[in-house]
Amino acid sequence: MGPVQIRTPVTEITVAAPRERILLALLLLREGQLVPFQQVISALWDTNPPTTARAQVHSCVSRLRQLLRRVGLPEELVITEPSGYRIKVGADELDAVLFATRIERGRAAAADGDLPTARDELRAALGLWRGRPLADVDSDAVRAAAAHLEEQWTAAMSLCLDLELRLGAAEEILAEVADLVERYPHHEQFRGHLMTALARTGRRADALAVFRRGRSMLAEELGIEPGAELVELHRRILNGDVSLLLAPVEPRDEPRRAARCLPRDIADFAGRADAFAGIVAALSDDRHAVLAIDGMAGTGKTTLAVRAAHAVSPRFPDGQLYLDLRGHSDRAPLDPGEALGALLRQLGVPPERVPAVLDDRAVLWRTELADRRVFVLLDNALDSAQVLPLLPGTAHTGVIITSRRRLGGLDGVQPVSLDVLPLEEGIELLERTVGARALADRTCTTEVVELCGRLPLAVRLAGARLQHRPSWTVGDLARRLRGADRRLPELAVDGRTLAAAFALSYQQLPVPLQRFFGFLGLHPAGDFEPAVAAAMAELPVAEAEDLLEELVDVHLVEAPAAGRYRLHDLLRDYAAQLAADGDAAVDRLLDHYLHSVASANTFLELADTRAVLRLDVPPPTAREFSGVAEARRWLERELPNVLGAARLASDLGRHRQICLMTRAVSPFLYGFGYGETQLDLYERAIAAATTLPSAEMEAESRNYLAAVYFRMGRMAEALSTLRLVTAIAEREGIPRLVGTALTNTAMLHSKLGQYAEAIAAAEAAAALQMDEVPASLQFKINSMIGLVHTQAGNYQQALVANRRGLAVARTMGGLRAFGIMLGEIGLVHLHLGHLTVATAMLRRALVLKQHSVNQYGSAETLSKLGTAHRLQGRLADAVACQRAARSLMEQVADVSGQCLTANDLAITLRELGMDEEARQLNEEALAKTIRIGDRYEQARALAGLGRHDQAVQLFEELGVCDLSALYR
């Protein structure tokens, strides 16, 4: 209440350093509350903070703590939090708190009619005033935050003078009030007090002169007339009003009647315990807070606010006011002037005393609240501009605002953002609403709450539906809600609907934003990036992101992370009904994802996906990637959306697009172990291709379905599917697909130990007549021939084929093919005992495979590098490599690869004496190889388990020349 000072029983000091003074003042103004780093920086440097601002803040805090320690105060007063600082002092240790407490006591005594006590309390409060608050603090931000202290002082002084006039002390206060008028010439209450004091001491002419001087000054400086109250006082003095001149003391037995305007509190309130406790705590503090509860339609903002208001109402004996500001309503929002008029009427102000001008109404509103302890609930606010004139000028008025918009324009207001309910709280709400029926079927109750999106209004409407349908079970309601097109119509009772609640938010949007919001409803469930929204709306990405942020502000869109957005399920259903030109927007959505996936495949597939799919020019929003790591991150993040878009295409009968989407995403699904969870996607694509009809698309889909079967170890199904692909491609004259199917068939035969058949399939692929054999197919053929010869122990023939494949890889460019061939050649050298060469080549291959995100290849090469380390006596390195390989192969979900890594690791573990773990690994591999038919790894597993004769017999049946490979 003046310059910043620290007083202790033995000393009194002024904080000399400007920055420490600013920091201490800022913390004390928000005593007990967190002050974020950014607010501290803004206070210390009003503009252009240095790049080292945060470090300087830390230093400033350290120096402030040292100062506190020097004067005998604990440095723990200043508390560091993860996002800022706060200071905690006792209620009797801060003059601003003592000032507010004394004023509260004075107002309470005045409300009870005890005028002498009220005056004494107010005088005690005013006695704490040492001058303009924080006069020595050079910070615009801090001075703005302290402005309320001076407002409190003028309000308290005005009330005190009014009480002293009513107590007959006109003579005693005359000099003081005359000085106040000189210092505050525009303050009409002080001028009124001076006029009254002069009139009551027999100086009516001087009182009238004070009025004339004030009116002249207002006209000259501001171009306005005095307020109605001052004009009325002038009239009464001019007419010699006896009641004014005698000023009788008001009796104590006429207490002011308090308004009680809150809506009823509902009995079946459920959930929101933490938010409720926080609001009540904030409103129970001596300096009552202003809180703004925001959230999407239906989150229960008003219900929570009303409950909290009833809980704290005993702390506000002079009234509890409520006003619906109609921000989102079927009627026009209240303008601030209308709202102030309604609030003043609730306080009991006669209509004739309510000024016509907004600013005058705001002054009267703050004046009426100045000596009362009142709670105000401002419900359904439109925006900050509507609310700002309604906020009280003193800290002893409690306020809750509710709004569907985030009210970021209100300084000093504590935000409380409501999300949907946690599942358990949603279940509790339905059980309280419905009773025994919800308790009888917990599973269906849970499903209903989830189908309602855990949105409180939706859960209440669902409960009301059950209450009005006694014959229904909760399961009946769940069945009716399961269809997305049925949820909103079902959530309606007696004219109260969820769709109507959403519509009130939607209608407030500008037309372009309404159109944009409708497009978002077409996107599959889940969070998405701005680029796809831009694609649907045909907008630049930056503009789409700005629109998304506007929708976040009004709680029609959620922002779960920076740059990610999503719609609540029920809002998505609502938005989808509003989409204009929805078919074209869906096409744009599908094109965006298709071209983006094709771009990512540049790093994941040997063939050119865009060329294979014959894609046109990509849309402007489609993603392009600078490297494999970026492409992989995008695919992993967006995979649910890509799959959702593919299924959307299927559901809407976009047959060509579901086929293209499935083919485009298949290399990622196959390479990263997701394929086995997406079998229905391939079934949809095959059905769509058959419907078109498109034999090429059917063959493409079946080819990747076979690959997924292979990964899963379903070898027979994979082989029969590939035979069908070959037949379709031969019948339709598509040699590229014939070659692909034959090389994949060769891979299958090799895994089944059918080496002759494998070589025959690969050679048949090589013999195909084509105008131009794709390099990727040439590579696969040579790679496959080399792989079969390696397994059969024909190492020289394997080297010949692999070197041909390496030459093709060089012409293809890129890391993926080159890494594959280096690994295959390194494996041959490993079998030949060329350990130094093998180790070097396997290491290089591993690096290339990791950089090209070849998950299966990385696991396989890592395991064989471990074998090379073992053969060189580096057992610790071998175990590390092979355990990592086994873990990676589990992620890829390739069953045959899992058997390979298990057998390799088991051999190493036996050399370390870890026989039991080795036995378990071999038994696991044996069980899997028998199931899938991988006879090569089956033999190795048998050898590891000591069943040497069986292992040798199996290798001989396979025609493997190198029996030592059983133990390598």
Side-chain angles (χ1 to χ4, degrees):
M1 312 302 289
V4 179
Q5 289 184 330
I6 302 175
R7 295 178 180 176
T8 70
V10 296
T11 187
E12 174 182 318
I13 66 167
T14 298
V15 182
R19 284 188 183 159
E20 282 85 288
R21 190 162 60 240
I22 292 171
L23 175 62
L24 180 58
L26 180 63
L27 294 174
L28 289 174
L29 283 169
R30 302 276 299 277
E31 189 275 327
Q33 301 178 39
L34 175 70
V35 181
F37 284 117
Q38 192 54 51
Q39 290 188 18
V40 175
I41 291 170
S42 296
L44 292 177
W45 295 274
D46 286 325
T47 57
N48 300 321
T51 56
T52 59
R54 186 170 285 246
Q56 292 191 44
V57 168
H58 291 318
S59 299
C60 188
V61 170
S62 178
R63 291 192 297 271
L64 178 58
R65 285 174 172 152
Q66 293 172 12
L67 175 63
L68 294 173
R69 188 172 61 249
R70 285 200 301 272
V71 298
L73 295 174
E75 59 182 73
E76 293 80 12
L77 287 178
V78 179
I79 301 166
T80 301
E81 302 279 7
S83 57
Y85 301 97
R86 63 185 174 92
I87 194 167
K88 189 65 179 174
V89 299
D92 59 345
E93 295 176 322
L94 184 59
D95 58 359
V97 174
L98 292 171
F99 178 72
T101 302
R102 288 281 196 177
I103 290 174
E104 290 292 329
R105 292 176 187 168
R107 288 195 176 98
D112 290 340
D114 186 355
L115 303 190
T117 300
R119 176 197 56 197
D120 293 344
E121 290 288 352
L122 290 168
R123 279 296 172 187
L126 295 167
L128 296 169
W129 193 262
R130 295 178 289 109
R132 187 166 65 85
L134 308 180
D136 57 343
V137 174
D138 184 17
S139 168
D140 292 341
V142 173
R143 280 196 295 269
H148 71 281
L149 294 175
E150 193 147 9
E151 292 178 5
Q152 288 179 4
W153 181 85
T154 55
M157 177 60 79
S158 180
L159 176 58
C160 184
L161 293 173
D162 183 62
L163 294 175
E164 288 174 332
L165 286 170
R166 289 158 64 187
L167 289 168
E171 188 73 44
E172 290 88 337
I173 68 168
L174 194 55
E176 180 181 24
V177 75
D179 178 63
L180 288 170
V181 170
E182 287 296 319
R183 289 162 52 198
Y184 300 92
H186 298 123
H187 198 290
E188 294 194 5
Q189 287 179 308
F190 287 161
R191 190 170 294 275
H193 293 323
L194 178 56
M195 291 166 61
T196 302
L198 288 169
R200 289 183 182 173
T201 54
R203 300 168 60 182
R204 288 174 61 202
D206 290 338
L208 295 172
V210 169
F211 175 80
R212 287 194 300 272
R213 286 196 297 273
R215 181 169 63 185
S216 176
M217 177 201 63
L218 290 173
E220 290 176 6
E221 295 183 9
L222 304 176
I224 61 174
E225 286 292 315
E229 288 188 30
L230 199 62
V231 171
E232 174 62 15
L233 177 61
H234 172 259
R235 185 192 64 77
R236 294 175 67 193
I237 295 172
L238 190 63
N239 294 338
D241 189 323
V242 175
S243 63
L244 171 69
L245 299 178
L246 293 179
V249 176
E250 297 181 8
R252 292 188 54 179
D253 57 354
E254 294 183 8
R256 184 167 15 207
R257 185 175 181 182
R260 300 287 185 263
C261 304
L262 293 177
R264 72 179 180 90
D265 187 15
I266 58 174
D268 57 1
F269 183 90
R272 304 293 191 203
D274 292 343
F276 175 78
I279 293 169
V280 170
L283 291 168
S284 299
D285 191 272
D286 287 337
R287 291 160 298 162
H288 302 305
V290 178
L291 300 106
I293 304 176
D294 61 76
M296 68 177 280
T299 48
K301 300 177 292 295
T302 299
T303 303
L304 175 62
V306 168
R307 190 168 188 82
H310 280 285
V312 300
S313 61
R315 299 189 64 86
F316 300 95
D318 298 331
Q320 297 100 45
L321 312 185
Y322 170 85
L323 186 62
D324 179 3
L325 297 174
R326 305 203 305 251
H328 299 86
S329 169
D330 53 5
R331 295 184 292 165
L334 288 178
D335 66 47
E338 290 179 284
L340 284 168
L343 291 167
L344 288 167
R345 287 193 295 275
Q346 290 185 23
L347 280 178
V349 176
E352 62 271 15
R353 285 192 56 218
V354 177
V357 180
L358 172 62
D359 290 346
D360 292 340
R361 287 189 178 190
V363 170
L364 179 58
W365 165 244
R366 289 194 290 270
T367 302
E368 289 291 333
L369 292 177
D371 61 348
R372 310 189 200 204
R373 296 174 58 126
V374 172
F375 175 84
V376 183
L377 173 49
L378 301 172
D379 192 24
N380 194 14
L382 177 64
D383 54 24
S384 299
Q386 184 190 35
V387 172
L388 189 59
L390 314 183
L391 297 182
T394 53
H396 56 269
T397 303
V399 180
I400 294 180
I401 309 158
T402 73
S403 179
R404 297 185 186 184
R405 178 182 289 274
R406 300 177 195 273
L407 303 179
L410 301 178
D411 293 336
V413 173
Q414 297 183 30
V416 180
S417 291
L418 297 187
D419 200 350
V420 296
L421 292 170
L423 178 58
E424 286 304 315
E425 292 186 4
I427 292 170
E428 179 190 1
L429 176 58
L430 187 60
E431 289 175 347
R432 289 195 181 185
T433 306
V434 178
R437 276 186 289 172
L439 296 170
D441 190 343
R442 180 82 174 192
T443 300
C444 285
T445 296
T446 301
E447 183 183 4
V448 166
V449 171
E450 291 288 18
L451 288 169
C452 290
R454 293 183 275 129
L455 189 67
L457 176 57
V459 175
R460 283 197 172 278
L461 289 172
R465 290 279 281 163
L466 282 172
Q467 285 179 320
H468 288 83
R469 296 292 187 276
S471 62
W472 285 10
T473 65
V474 181
D476 292 329
L477 179 60
R479 186 170 56 256
R480 298 176 71 91
L481 290 172
R482 283 178 191 135
D485 58 338
R486 290 292 307 156
R487 277 187 291 188
L488 288 177
E490 286 293 333
L491 295 172
V493 176
D494 195 22
R496 187 185 186 200
T497 71
L498 192 62
F502 292 160
L504 294 176
S505 292
Y506 175 76
Q507 289 162 6
Q508 295 287 344
L509 303 177
V511 172
L513 199 52
Q514 289 182 346
R515 180 175 182 273
F516 181 76
F517 174 69
F519 288 138
L520 300 182
L522 302 174
H523 192 278
D527 60 88
F528 53 86
E529 59 184 357
V532 68
M536 289 188 287
E538 295 183 286
L539 294 172
V541 175
E543 185 176 341
E545 187 163 16
D546 290 342
L547 294 178
L548 286 164
E549 286 296 327
E550 287 188 48
L551 292 171
V552 169
D553 286 341
V554 295
H555 286 287
L556 285 172
V557 166
E558 302 169 24
R564 305 294 297 177
Y565 302 91
R566 69 182 175 214
L567 271 68
H568 185 277
D569 288 347
L570 295 173
L571 268 174
R572 193 178 67 257
D573 294 346
Y574 175 74
Q577 299 173 5
L578 305 169
D581 194 19
D583 288 346
V586 168
D587 286 337
R588 292 191 293 271
L589 177 152
L590 296 175
D591 280 348
H592 168 82
Y593 281 125
L594 174 61
H595 283 270
S596 297
V597 172
S599 174
N601 272 354
T602 303
F603 305 97
L604 302 177
E605 186 177 19
L606 295 176
D608 182 349
T609 306
R610 287 172 171 164
V612 169
L613 299 182
R614 295 189 284 278
L615 298 182
D616 297 327
V617 177
T621 61
R623 294 294 301 266
E624 295 290 339
F625 303 97
S626 59
V628 63
E630 183 188 6
R632 178 185 177 180
R633 283 195 301 270
W634 184 88
L635 280 167
E636 288 179 335
R637 186 176 63 243
E638 298 298 331
L639 182 61
N641 290 331
V642 172
L643 296 175
R647 289 184 171 86
L648 176 65
S650 174
D651 293 340
L652 296 176
R654 307 284 216 282
H655 301 310
R656 181 174 180 275
Q657 286 158 308
I658 173 63
C659 293
L660 293 175
M661 291 283 287
T662 302
R663 170 60 182 83
V665 77
S666 286
F668 182 73
L669 295 178
Y670 175 76
F672 289 82
Y674 294 108
E676 64 182 273
T677 65
Q678 306 299 329
L679 291 178
D680 76 297
L681 188 66
Y682 292 101
E683 292 166 0
R684 288 170 180 250
I686 291 166
T690 305
T691 303
L692 278 170
S694 169
E696 182 176 6
M697 288 185 177
E698 180 186 354
E700 287 278 12
S701 298
R702 290 189 185 278
N703 179 62
Y704 263 102
L705 176 60
V708 173
Y709 284 150
F710 172 78
R711 277 273 193 260
M712 298 170 68
R714 294 165 61 173
M715 302 299 191
E717 291 167 279
L719 193 55
S720 64
T721 302
L722 284 173
R723 285 171 179 156
L724 181 56
V725 173
T726 304
I728 293 171
E730 287 176 341
R731 183 188 72 218
E732 300 296 327
I734 313 172
R736 174 185 62 83
L737 271 175
V738 175
T740 299
L742 286 172
T743 54
N744 289 341
T745 301
M747 168 67 80
L748 263 170
H749 283 307
S750 72
K751 286 296 181 184
L752 294 171
Q754 300 163 351
Y755 299 135
E757 292 89 338
I759 292 292
E763 289 177 344
L768 286 170
Q769 297 298 312
M770 296 187 217
D771 293 337
E772 182 178 354
V773 180
S776 60
L777 180 58
Q778 294 179 44
F779 174 82
K780 287 179 182 178
I781 291 169
N782 286 297
S783 172
M784 189 51 53
I785 293 173
L787 174 66
V788 174
H789 282 309
T790 300
Q791 280 206 347
N794 304 320
Y795 300 130
Q796 295 304 321
Q797 291 166 279
L799 279 176
V800 171
N802 287 333
R803 285 167 179 158
R804 283 200 304 265
L806 186 64
V808 176
R810 286 195 176 98
T811 66
M812 292 172 65
L815 304 179
R816 193 174 188 86
F818 203 74
I820 291 171
M821 289 321 307
L822 280 183
E824 294 302 320
I825 294 172
L827 179 57
V828 174
H829 282 293
L830 180 66
H831 283 298
L832 289 170
H834 306 157
L835 298 183
T836 302
V837 175
T839 301
M841 296 193 77
L842 289 170
R843 280 178 171 158
R844 179 61 179 155
L846 178 62
V847 171
L848 294 176
K849 289 180 178 182
Q850 288 173 336
H851 284 179
S852 59
V853 200
N854 182 345
Q855 298 285 85
Y856 175 88
S858 296
E860 181 186 44
T861 300
L862 196 55
S863 189
K864 294 307 178 184
L865 180 60
T867 298
H869 288 322
R870 172 174 56 78
L871 293 173
Q872 292 170 308
R874 297 198 297 271
L875 296 183
D877 291 340
V879 168
C881 285
Q882 289 171 342
R883 287 198 188 281
R886 178 166 161 76
S887 175
L888 186 56
M889 197 65 84
E890 290 294 326
Q891 296 175 34
V892 176
D894 186 293
V895 180
S896 179
Q898 291 166 2
C899 298
L900 178 149
T901 55
N903 283 330
D904 284 352
L905 177 58
I907 295 173
T908 304
L909 292 177
R910 278 199 180 82
E911 291 203 15
L912 287 168
M914 302 170 69
D915 293 345
E916 178 57 26
E917 185 180 354
R919 182 188 62 77
Q920 292 174 3
L921 288 169
N922 285 140
E923 286 185 346
E924 173 194 319
L926 181 61
K928 288 181 177 179
T929 54
I930 291 173
R931 175 171 63 83
I932 67 175
D934 185 342
R935 300 171 74 199
Y936 186 91
E937 291 300 333
Q938 181 184 345
R940 295 184 70 219
L942 287 169
L945 291 170
R947 295 158 65 177
H948 177 75
D949 291 344
Q950 291 176 272
V952 169
Q953 181 182 351
L954 193 51
F955 253 33
E956 288 174 346
E957 290 175 2
L958 294 174
V960 176
C961 304
D962 183 9
L963 294 180
S964 65
L966 285 169
Y967 300 98
R968 189 175 301 122

